């Protein structure tokens, strides 16, 4: 019920009637909007139970104009895609190292700070989604990115 309607309780019986109408209207509105809400698949954080169809996926890649120009400016190891359990921290760090190994020495030198922040992020139990870590030389969009998706959070163990 709206907190603004509470002063009506001090108005005596007429205020109580108005308060009752406001309360009833709030309940009816809540019920109507709740029935119209789209069905969202429920997910369990228990790795033994998975009730949505989306696989757990993690992708780590380096980006910037030093990684191939504007048309193909991404270097990265193949993503991890799992259907039975979330991606572990060790797998995430290994993916980061695999992407790192694809970079040349100059590209690595620019992204040392980015890689450190990315691995710290993996170890922090991050929420699902995308995250970018800018390089020390930000010109040309140089950075390391992580894409982290699934039915429940990755990197829990």
């Amino acid at each position: 019920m709206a907190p603004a309607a509470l002063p009506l309780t001090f108005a005596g019986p007429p205020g109580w009637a108005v308060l009752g109408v406001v309360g009833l209207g709030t309940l009816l509105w809540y019920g109507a909007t709740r029935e119209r809400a789209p069905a969202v698949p429920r997910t369990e954080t228990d790795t033994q139970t998975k009730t949505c169809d989306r696989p757990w996926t993690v992708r780590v890649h380096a980006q910037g104009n030093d990684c191939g120009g504007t048309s193909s400016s991404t270097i990265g190891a193949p993503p991890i895609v799992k259907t039975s359990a979330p991606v572990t921290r060790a797998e995430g760090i290994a993916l980061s190292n695999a992407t790192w190994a694809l970079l040349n020495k100059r590209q690595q030198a620019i992204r040392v700070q980015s890689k450190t922040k990315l691995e710290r992020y993996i170890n922090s139990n991050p929420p699902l989604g995308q995250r970018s870590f800018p390089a020390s030389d930000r010109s040309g969009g140089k950075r390391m990115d992580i894409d982290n998706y699934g039915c429940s959070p990755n990197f829990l163990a």
Side-chain angles (χ1 to χ4, degrees):
M1 187 174 345
L6 290 179
L8 293 173
T9 59
F10 298 112
W16 301 340
V18 172
L19 183 62
V21 170
V22 169
L24 182 61
T26 302
L27 289 174
L28 291 174
W29 175 81
Y30 179 76
T33 58
R34 187 170 179 172
E35 290 174 4
R36 284 186 272 141
V40 178
R42 298 196 182 267
T43 61
E44 300 288 331
T45 55
D46 179 10
T47 58
Q48 302 302 317
T49 306
K50 181 179 171 207
T51 56
C52 80
D53 294 329
R54 184 174 193 158
W56 286 277
T57 308
V58 174
R59 178 175 176 237
V60 174
H61 53 278
Q63 282 197 256
N65 62 3
D66 64 334
C67 294
T70 55
S71 62
S72 60
S73 60
T74 299
I75 295 175
I80 297 172
V81 179
K82 294 174 73 177
T83 58
S84 60
V87 177
T88 65
R89 286 186 195 132
E91 291 169 327
I93 298 295
L95 184 61
S96 172
N97 290 333
T99 296
W100 189 255
L102 297 173
L103 301 175
N104 64 37
K105 296 292 180 192
R106 184 178 51 80
Q107 292 167 331
Q108 287 179 353
I110 293 170
R111 290 174 178 82
V112 169
Q113 181 181 4
S114 299
K115 183 176 187 288
T116 303
K117 287 181 179 179
L118 184 137
E119 290 179 355
R120 211 176 291 144
Y121 178 75
I122 289 172
N123 285 317
S124 71
N125 296 332
L128 298 174
Q130 296 175 304
R131 182 83 188 262
S132 294
F133 302 91
S136 56
D137 173 10
R138 295 178 185 208
S139 66
K142 297 174 188 137
R143 64 185 189 265
M144 296 278 292
D145 291 349
I146 186 168
D147 304 331
N148 170 23
Y149 296 106
C151 286
S152 60
N154 288 303
F155 314 125
L156 297 178

